Amino acid sequence: MKLAYWMYAGPAHIGTLRVASSFENVHAIMHAPLGDDYFNVMRSMLERERDFTPVTASIVDRHVLTRGSQEKVVDNIIQKEKEERPDLIILTPTCTSSILQEDLQNFVDRASITSDSDVIPADVNHYRVNELQAADRTLEQVVRYYLSKAARRQGTLDRSITDIPSANIIGISTLGFHNQHDCRELKRLLQDLGIEINQVIPEGGFVEDLQNLPKAWFNFVPYREIGLMTAIYLEKEFGMPYISTTPMGVIDTAECIRQIQGHVNKWTPVFSNKKVDYEHYIDQQTRFVSQAAWFSRSIDCQNFVGKKAVVFGDATHAASMTKILAREMGIRVCCTGTYCKHDAEWFNEQVRGLCDEVLITDDHIEVGDMIARVEPSAIFGTQMERHIGKRLDIPCGVISPPVHIQNFPLGYRPFLGYEGTNQIADLVYNSYTLGMEDHLLDIFGGHDTKEVITKSLSTETDLIWNSESQMELSKIPGFVRGKIKRKTEKFARQNGITNITVEVMYAAKEALSA
Amino acid sequence: MSVKTSETLTFECETGNYHTSCPISCVAWLYQKIEDSFFPVVGTKTCGYFLQNALGVMIFAEPRYAMAELEEGDISAQLNDYEESKKLCSQIIKNRNPSVIIWIGTCTTEIIKMDLEGMAPKLENEIGIPVIVARANGLDYASTQGEDTVLAAMAHRCAERDLLGDERNQTAQNRALQDSFLSPGNKEGTLEPIMNLKKNPPLVLFGSLPSIVASQLSLELKRQSIQVSGWLPAQKYNNLPLLGDGVYVCGVNPFLSRTATTLMRRRKCRLIGAPFPIGPDGTRAWIGKICSVFDIETRGLGEREEQVWESLEDYLKLVRGKSVFFMGDNLLEVSLARFLIRCGMIVYEIGIPYMDKRYQAAELAFLQNTCGNMCVPMPRIVEKPDNYNQIQRMRELQPDLAITGMAHANPLEARKINTKWSVEFTFAQIHGFTNARDILELVTRSLRRNNGLEDFGWTSLVKRENNLRM
């Protein structure tokens, strides 16, 4: 048992439901007690979804607890099949069903006898995997199911590839962070490169089309969290190469395009006898379409030099953001971290040499304390870090899930591709106190007259500020006041002083700046 | 719709495949109500993620609730429940120093048969503060019933009222009351109400309301010279009311049937069965019933109700003749439907998770009367509704307003059906004369919004082929 207030990644079934409800005409039935269907609320509210979320629960109640589900789950599956005629029904276990240890496979087998829909149980263990791992696994499971089904039905799968270069985009899903916008941006990118989109899965995909996945020349996995398992499976089974470099930021986008070039050029000689060269495209986009490269040179960006930042989020976004801040904008990343503990090794490798320290944790208190200690000028993190930032009076740009309704903007806000680089530049720039404003505040002593807020997350106040020192403190510009207060208090503690006077403040300043 | 008035209410029961929030969500308002409490919710990540999402911004405000998250070791009994709980309690006491710890049991604790009730007394002895257990799980309960389980558990902790001490209290209370009336700042500084103050038997009201609403209701009763001797729950755990034989109790919310039962059977209290003080009609009936039990003649109650109705006229104009469909979520449905019918609306269906016909008897009778008086057909009451069937029915009926959970609100709006989230009625202040306006404010919101949008002609916002799909 452990005390927990906040989770970065949700429970396993959320991942399964995200994948299931991303596909068209796929229905998920949860084996769960009343109230566990809040996924529908999340989808309906956060995504402002117009259609009913295709997720229902086969309710586990007191009767089920004493007698087992018996016919209930099977009946619910068959009824849903009649009502909605889905192509596929995914029976989704929850924490409850994993303790009850009911044989979901058996329910599925029984339902399959009468049901026209395909029925599979999601193969995820609530206590072993989180939302992201479960989503990854479920997507792979569905793809594997339909490819082997096609292979069974037709003897062998049609393994020919398309005549012109084509790609599958794997891992775009509902409730994903800016996924819709990213998807549009990626489609545009591939189109610019003359590459056809074979399929996008799971979002908007039909399961019956999955058998055509191997027709693409390569797979494109924009996010590490969802889709990698599928890509690896397709590589092993069909020899399909995949790209898992996230095209986030100018440098990585270029790197990603070069990898695409590599894969395309494996086959182009067969079809058209000439190789593609994307270098000119990269150059044009980088210098003129994306404003980010120019922004890094512009005088605005000078003010960033040496400014401190903390980054935290899922592995994909935190790693990419760290690279952008450090390599492209010259910002000092004091600490970067991720809650994707299962992917720690990859993360460490990605950010090596780009930051002072790395924090791998899923405990938000640890993250909060780290931020309080580092005192960055800006944070780039999740909704949780945004709130930590609010309490510490540090601006925060949200770059990663967990999501909030404001992370589903109506306007076009990709994080990936060349338009993504513009969005990120805006986000970073707006997160820091604007350069000139900063400067003027410094000169004129600030317009912030708010009371000083204690900035450590675990407060301990054994020190007394007398009225003169408080007055003196209030004259200091707001954005550095907290820092000076803490430094003074630290100095006072070290020297065993309990009453803080103006003299102590000056002494602290001398001691610490010396 | 042809208007035919059936004599009795009809009750139906469907499959129970409906959307509602998990009863553990009650910690959201209970921790705010009981200021010195701490609520550990003993469950899994699923419960935690629900709280985190359902309660949104509250999570960031250092709430006095937390997940006691069960790990695989707890489930497979490799870890000792008692030791784990104790460790957690000490941590809570160290960080927050509450006056009471209220463990919320969940589905998981039920399934693994974790003996929270058995551990609590032992734990209480060892750590020195009260430990209460409420099983607010989704196996047995829906949404607001969570509060019911907590209050029922708390009812056991209220001290026994001893008659002698009670006399003393009563005198002290009277003196305090007199002082308050005589204090210079008091506008009603006449001695008249005190003179007429009949000493009513102790009356305890149960149901968690924001303190401002609780004092509004107490004041309404005081106008009828009725003293409220306590509330379950009180603002502080240590101020729980005295209970016992001869204490009258009355509920303010329709979902408190377990608490009512516990108060009657275990604490020997006498339950006043009244309609609930929701809407001016409900409030009047509620006060009227209490008065009649204490054999007090009401004064000015009818005029008070009239005044409130008059002040609501601008809203009533909007709702008259409009139809409503309650999908069923938080057990407030019957009272709200009764109020809306009195406002001139037509209610097609009252979906409700669970219907205690005994505890809600007075409310149901009142509903039936109201339908008769307003000459509208009796609505069907559907217990454990099936959301899929309800949506089919709604497609037929095309109600002007659906009161529904958040899972269905946006999809219904996209299909030209106006909606109001049911959960807002749980959180808004809807009790008493003063707050009737707030109920109509909520009910009319989408109607008022649409007055502005109607002319544009883009009411249906799904593609045609989608329209038929659930």
Side-chain angles (χ1 to χ4, degrees):
Chain A
M1 231 187 262
K2 67 170 185 201
L3 217 50
Y5 298 87
W6 169 268
M7 264 177 275
Y8 282 103
H13 71 271
I14 297 286
T16 297
L17 297 180
R18 276 177 60 186
V19 167
S21 58
S22 294
F23 278 113
E24 294 289 321
N25 213 24
V26 169
H27 200 98
I29 293 184
M30 300 164 67
H31 188 241
L34 199 61
D36 270 3
D37 58 352
Y38 58 86
F39 174 79
N40 299 28
V41 176
M42 289 171 63
R43 186 154 183 270
S44 176
M45 297 307 298
L46 298 177
E47 293 242 53
R48 296 183 197 86
E49 185 54 60
R50 299 168 196 225
D51 286 320
F52 293 98
T53 304
V55 172
T56 43
S58 174
I59 304 284
V60 175
D61 57 13
R62 195 49 72 175
H63 295 291
V64 171
L65 206 56
T66 47
R67 308 177 311 143
S69 288
Q70 300 189 352
E71 300 304 317
K72 196 170 183 180
V73 177
V74 178
D75 289 348
N76 276 322
I77 293 173
I78 292 167
Q79 194 196 341
K80 198 41 75 183
E81 188 256 325
K82 290 207 176 73
E83 288 167 0
E84 305 264 309
R85 308 233 147 254
D87 298 325
L88 169 68
I89 293 175
I90 300 179
L91 183 58
T92 309
T94 58
C95 59
T96 308
S97 60
S98 49
I99 319 172
L100 285 176
Q101 298 189 322
E102 284 197 272
D103 187 357
L104 297 191
Q105 183 64 52
N106 173 269
F107 296 145
V108 164
D109 292 343
R110 277 156 59 200
S112 303
I113 297 167
T114 41
S115 162
D116 286 336
S117 308
D118 295 314
V119 191
I120 60 172
D123 177 27
V124 291
N125 181 330
H126 176 89
Y127 292 94
R128 302 277 163 85
V129 297
N130 68 18
E131 166 188 353
L132 301 170
Q133 294 161 293
D136 201 15
R137 167 74 184 120
T138 304
L139 182 59
E140 189 237 24
Q141 201 189 346
V142 172
V143 168
R144 188 187 285 266
Y145 178 84
Y146 279 96
L147 284 172
S148 49
K149 184 181 168 187
R152 257 200 326 274
R153 202 162 48 196
Q154 300 153 3
T156 70
L157 265 174
D158 179 9
R159 292 202 174 198
S160 64
I161 60 169
T162 54
D163 292 345
I164 54 168
S166 63
N168 299 317
I169 301 178
I170 299 176
I172 306 290
S173 79
T174 189
L175 290 173
F177 185 77
H178 292 246
N179 271 203
Q180 307 297 337
H181 309 295
D182 284 347
C183 182
R184 198 166 124 198
E185 186 63 22
L186 292 178
K187 281 179 176 170
R188 193 169 78 175
L189 178 69
L190 292 174
Q191 197 183 9
D192 282 355
L193 300 176
I195 295 165
E196 200 173 62
I197 310 290
N198 186 49
Q199 275 178 43
V200 178
I201 59 165
E203 185 64 42
F206 284 90
V207 284
E208 294 297 342
D209 295 340
L210 291 177
Q211 56 177 310
N212 294 325
L213 279 177
K215 286 191 182 308
W217 290 22
F218 64 95
N219 291 317
F220 189 6
V221 184
Y223 314 109
R224 268 196 83 72
E225 286 74 22
I226 303 177
L228 214 48
M229 273 181 91
T230 309
I232 291 168
Y233 159 75
L234 289 169
E235 183 183 47
K236 227 170 94 191
E237 206 70 15
F238 300 93
M240 293 180 78
Y242 69 89
I243 292 163
S244 63
T245 300
T246 305
M248 188 166 152
V250 175
I251 297 172
D252 275 357
T253 304
E255 165 64 20
C256 180
I257 295 172
R258 289 192 185 106
Q259 286 179 14
I260 293 173
Q261 177 178 316
H263 290 311
V264 170
N265 281 339
K266 270 188 213 137
W267 289 104
T268 35
V270 181
F271 289 95
S272 62
N273 218 3
K274 67 170 190 263
K275 292 196 164 193
V276 294
D277 182 2
Y278 297 140
E279 283 306 327
H280 178 68
Y281 176 78
I282 294 172
D283 179 62
Q284 288 296 307
Q285 293 285 321
T286 307
R287 288 195 297 141
F288 303 112
V289 175
S290 164
Q291 302 292 323
W294 157 234
F295 174 71
S296 309
R297 290 297 302 200
S298 74
I299 49 164
D300 283 332
C301 215
Q302 275 183 17
N303 286 322
F304 289 163
V305 174
K307 288 239 172 178
K308 295 199 287 186
V310 160
V311 180
F312 196 83
D314 64 10
T316 302
H317 290 92
S320 294
M321 199 63 199
T322 307
K323 290 188 210 167
I324 293 169
L325 292 174
R327 294 189 302 194
E328 298 176 18
M329 294 182 177
I331 291 167
R332 184 172 148 216
V333 180
C334 297
C335 183
T336 184
T338 180
Y339 55 85
C340 296
K341 285 157 95 172
H342 59 278
D343 215 7
E345 201 180 321
W346 176 84
F347 187 80
N348 274 313
E349 190 186 302
Q350 291 295 305
V351 299
R352 186 163 301 144
L354 298 174
C355 58
D356 302 347
E357 58 176 309
V358 177
L359 179 66
I360 311 280
T361 180
D362 53 6
D363 178 357
H364 75 274
I365 296 177
E366 223 175 298
V367 179
D369 287 347
M370 176 270 287
I371 293 173
R373 172 170 54 82
V374 169
E375 296 177 21
S377 322
I379 311 166
F380 297 95
T382 71
Q383 284 294 334
M384 191 70 221
E385 282 69 49
R386 196 170 70 85
H387 285 267
I388 294 170
K390 267 190 186 169
R391 288 174 59 191
L392 298 179
D393 205 12
I394 300 170
C396 176
V398 176
I399 54 137
S400 158
V403 283
H404 199 299
I405 192 147
Q406 71 202 52
N407 303 120
F408 293 93
L410 300 171
Y412 189 48
R413 300 256 196 290
F415 271 69
L416 306 188
Y418 286 108
E419 178 55 28
T421 60
N422 293 337
Q423 297 291 340
I424 293 167
D426 277 343
L427 182 78
V428 172
Y429 188 61
N430 293 333
S431 296
Y432 284 97
T433 312
L434 300 183
M436 208 51 177
E437 193 187 342
D438 199 353
H439 196 52
L440 291 174
L441 280 171
D442 228 354
I443 293 170
F444 296 113
H447 48 57
D448 185 352
T449 52
K450 273 184 294 185
E451 285 289 303
V452 184
I453 324 161
T454 316
K455 285 203 174 173
S456 54
L457 283 175
S458 32
T459 27
E460 36 182 317
T461 41
D462 49 340
L463 296 169
I464 302 155
W465 289 70
N466 72 5
S467 56
E468 289 91 62
S469 63
Q470 275 179 14
M471 179 80 84
E472 189 64 22
L473 192 63
S474 70
K475 287 184 202 155
I476 295 163
F479 55 94
V480 286
R481 195 185 298 151
K483 193 179 284 185
I484 293 191
K485 179 168 188 259
R486 272 191 307 283
K487 290 204 164 148
T488 310
E489 289 183 347
K490 190 174 166 197
F491 172 81
R493 281 203 188 89
Q494 281 168 354
N495 293 284
I497 301 166
T498 48
N499 282 315
I500 297 176
T501 59
V502 178
E503 288 76 20
V504 176
M505 281 178 79
Y506 292 151
K509 191 179 177 210
E510 279 161 30
L512 293 167
S513 57
Chain B
M1 282 284 294
S2 62
V3 178
K4 62 170 201 302
T5 318
S6 68
E7 289 302 303
T8 48
L9 292 165
T10 51
F11 294 93
E12 286 168 46
C13 188
E14 282 191 307
T15 61
N17 283 333
Y18 63 101
H19 169 78
T20 184
S21 57
C22 177
I24 59 171
S25 57
C26 68
V27 301
W29 63 88
L30 287 175
Y31 94 82
Q32 293 186 350
K33 175 70 192 177
I34 309 165
E35 287 167 356
D36 50 357
S37 59
F38 194 96
F39 290 79
V41 179
V42 196
T44 59
K45 275 192 161 52
T46 308
C47 312
Y49 205 57
F50 164 72
L51 282 179
Q52 173 172 330
N53 278 292
L55 310 184
V57 289
M58 277 189 225
I59 290 284
F60 300 113
E62 291 220 20
R64 271 174 288 103
Y65 64 79
M67 286 303 302
E69 193 184 314
L70 296 167
E71 291 159 295
E72 209 166 4
D74 297 300
I75 305 292
S76 54
Q78 284 163 344
L79 297 170
N80 180 308
D81 292 346
Y82 183 75
E83 289 306 318
E84 291 292 308
S85 312
K86 201 176 114 191
K87 207 174 67 194
L88 229 64
C89 278
S90 334
Q91 207 179 330
I92 292 167
I93 292 170
K94 185 169 150 262
N95 294 338
R96 301 300 183 87
N97 193 27
S99 315
V100 57
I101 292 179
I102 302 171
W103 291 90
I104 303 288
T106 63
C107 306
T108 312
T109 56
E110 289 295 310
I111 296 169
I112 63 173
K113 303 210 168 17
M114 189 184 247
D115 185 19
L116 289 170
E117 275 102 340
M119 288 190 295
K122 225 172 119 193
L123 210 55
E124 192 167 314
N125 265 333
E126 220 166 319
I127 61 174
I129 67 166
V131 177
I132 294 182
V133 175
R135 304 175 171 200
N137 61 68
L139 294 168
D140 302 302
Y141 305 107
S143 63
T144 47
Q145 287 181 292
E147 175 181 324
D148 194 20
T149 61
V150 173
L151 297 191
M154 277 189 131
H156 290 283
R157 300 306 184 105
C158 298
E160 188 70 24
R161 160 183 163 263
D162 77 294
L163 282 168
L164 220 83
D166 196 53
E167 286 295 320
R168 272 201 305 275
N169 272 348
Q170 196 75 21
T171 346
Q173 228 168 35
N174 276 349
R175 198 171 305 131
L177 190 76
Q178 225 147 4
D179 288 348
S180 80
F181 273 108
L182 291 173
S183 67
N186 197 326
K187 290 268 155 58
E188 306 168 75
T190 62
L191 276 173
E192 201 239 345
I194 289 296
M195 294 313 177
N196 292 341
L197 197 68
K198 244 178 134 178
K199 234 202 258 166
N200 58 279
L203 171 67
V204 171
L205 301 179
F206 58 96
S208 162
L209 293 179
S211 63
I212 184 164
V213 182
S215 32
Q216 280 164 359
L217 286 181
S218 299
L219 194 70
E220 293 294 350
L221 288 172
K222 200 193 256 174
R223 288 192 174 165
Q224 304 299 335
S225 61
I226 291 173
Q227 277 298 308
V228 176
S229 52
W231 280 81
L232 175 69
Q235 204 75 9
K236 290 265 162 68
Y237 177 75
N238 293 328
N239 296 347
L240 281 180
L242 303 176
L243 295 176
D245 200 3
V247 174
Y248 283 81
V249 292
C250 188
V252 297
N253 267 323
F255 44 77
L256 299 171
S257 54
R258 270 179 76 90
T259 310
T261 314
T262 309
L263 289 171
M264 284 193 297
R265 296 209 182 134
R266 309 298 298 274
R267 305 307 310 262
K268 308 289 174 229
C269 299
R270 289 178 213 173
L271 179 71
I272 302 177
F276 301 99
I278 292 169
D281 50 340
T283 309
R284 181 189 174 179
W286 183 72
I287 296 172
K289 182 65 193 279
I290 295 173
C291 286
S292 77
V293 168
F294 291 153
D295 206 16
I296 290 169
E297 212 162 297
T298 62
R299 282 178 305 168
L301 199 54
E303 293 80 27
R304 180 112 171 88
E305 190 196 348
E306 249 352 276
Q307 275 169 10
V308 177
W309 283 116
E310 268 163 39
S311 73
L312 297 176
E313 188 51 35
D314 50 337
Y315 282 125
L316 295 178
K317 267 190 211 137
L318 287 169
V319 299
R320 270 192 202 111
K322 298 258 170 37
S323 54
V324 194
F325 192 108
F326 284 89
M327 284 188 78
D329 177 17
N330 54 14
L331 286 92
L332 294 170
E333 289 86 2
V334 175
S335 310
L336 287 173
R338 178 260 303 151
F339 167 60
L340 294 181
I341 290 170
R342 177 64 181 74
C343 288
M345 297 185 89
I346 298 153
V347 176
Y348 289 143
E349 176 165 327
I350 304 176
I352 188 166
Y354 168 74
M355 181 78 238
D356 185 336
K357 287 184 202 158
R358 279 203 301 179
Y359 176 63
Q360 294 221 41
E363 183 63 88
L364 287 168
F366 196 29
L367 169 69
Q368 203 166 339
N369 276 340
T370 307
C371 288
N373 293 339
M374 301 300 291
C375 297
V376 292
M378 300 275 172
R380 51 195 274 172
I381 296 178
V382 181
E383 222 184 323
K384 289 178 179 284
D386 184 310
N387 282 164
Y388 183 85
N389 298 342
Q390 285 185 313
I391 285 161
Q392 308 308 315
R393 291 200 286 273
M394 243 188 273
R395 186 164 296 143
E396 290 288 311
L397 295 163
Q398 289 293 320
D400 294 309
L401 181 69
I403 294 181
T404 175
M406 289 200 248
H408 296 114
N410 267 338
L412 286 172
E413 287 281 354
R415 286 159 183 75
K416 287 203 277 194
I417 291 176
N418 298 321
T419 59
K420 188 72 229 140
W421 301 333
S422 46
V423 66
E424 286 196 62
F425 294 99
T426 322
F427 287 110
Q429 305 186 348
I430 60 170
H431 292 76
F433 287 126
T434 328
N435 299 313
R437 214 179 163 75
D438 290 42
I439 308 178
L440 285 177
E441 168 70 27
L442 290 177
V443 168
T444 56
R445 196 170 289 164
S446 72
L447 302 172
R448 282 179 286 136
R449 191 261 331 259
N450 288 357
N451 283 345
L453 291 178
E454 213 84 277
D455 301 336
F456 296 115
W458 52 53
T459 43
S460 177
L461 291 161
V462 282
K463 292 181 181 150
R464 184 156 287 281
E465 66 266 28
N466 254 333
N467 230 339
L468 291 171
R469 296 191 64 88
M470 170 170 161

